[in-house]
């Protein structure tokens, strides 16, 4: 990226040397800042959309009740002094696990949403500022 930036500046200065090379460098700088801040804002917007989608529709829990029951039975075989848990109690534990996992995914999505807003809110004023400078230069 830096090499491309240097090549653009050098080529612009050579072409526009008689018209004022400093103006070309300033314009290239302004366009690069506009491009970078626009990409950051677009990336933040996409990430925010994905976070909202995760809040609305979190990914379902991956483990089935049968797998949960099998793992509990394997633990029971390794630990001989523990009583066997009833089917109803296992189902209750499984449902609580699924609910906790869903709440955790929603919490992570909310955290990502806040971070995504940072990628929108921080570069947006810089973009607007340089956009206005570019418009004022052209007049």
């Amino acid at each position: 990226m830096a090499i491309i930036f240097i090549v653009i500046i050098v080529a612009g200065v050579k072409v526009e040397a008689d018209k004022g090379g400093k103006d070309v460098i300033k314009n290239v700088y302004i366009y690069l800042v506009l491009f970078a801040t626009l990409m950051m804002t677009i990336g933040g917007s996409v990430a925010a959309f994905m976070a909202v989608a995760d809040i609305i529709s979190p990914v379902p829990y991956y483990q089935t009740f049968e797998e949960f029951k099998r793992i509990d039975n394997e633990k029971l075989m390794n630990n001989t002094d523990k009583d066997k848990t009833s089917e109803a109690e296992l189902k209750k534990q499984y449902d609580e696990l699924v609910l906790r996992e869903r709440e955790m995914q929603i919490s992570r999505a909310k955290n990502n949403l806040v971070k995504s807003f940072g990628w929108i809110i921080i570069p947006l004023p810089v973009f607007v500022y340089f956009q206005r400078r570019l418009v004022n230069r052209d007049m």
Side-chain angles (χ1 to χ4, degrees), residues 65 68-69 85-97:
F65 177 64
F68 181 78
K69 204 165 45 171
T85 311
S86 69
E87 182 89 14
E89 184 64 29
L90 277 176
K91 181 67 174 161
K92 182 180 174 188
Q93 289 175 1
Y94 175 75
D95 290 340
E96 290 172 358
L97 179 69

Side-chain angles (χ1 to χ4, degrees), residues 97 105 121 128:
L97 179 69
Q105 285 183 358
I121 293 170
V128 171

Side-chain angles (χ1 to χ4, degrees), residues 3-35:
I3 295 171
I4 295 171
F5 178 68
I6 292 170
V7 169
I8 291 172
I9 290 175
V10 169
V13 168
K14 285 183 180 179
V15 170
E16 300 284 332
D18 57 340
K19 293 183 180 177
K22 289 183 180 180
D23 288 338
V24 172
I25 293 173
K26 287 180 183 178
N27 280 339
V28 169
Y29 174 75
I30 289 172
Y31 280 117
L32 285 174
V33 170
L34 286 171
F35 177 74

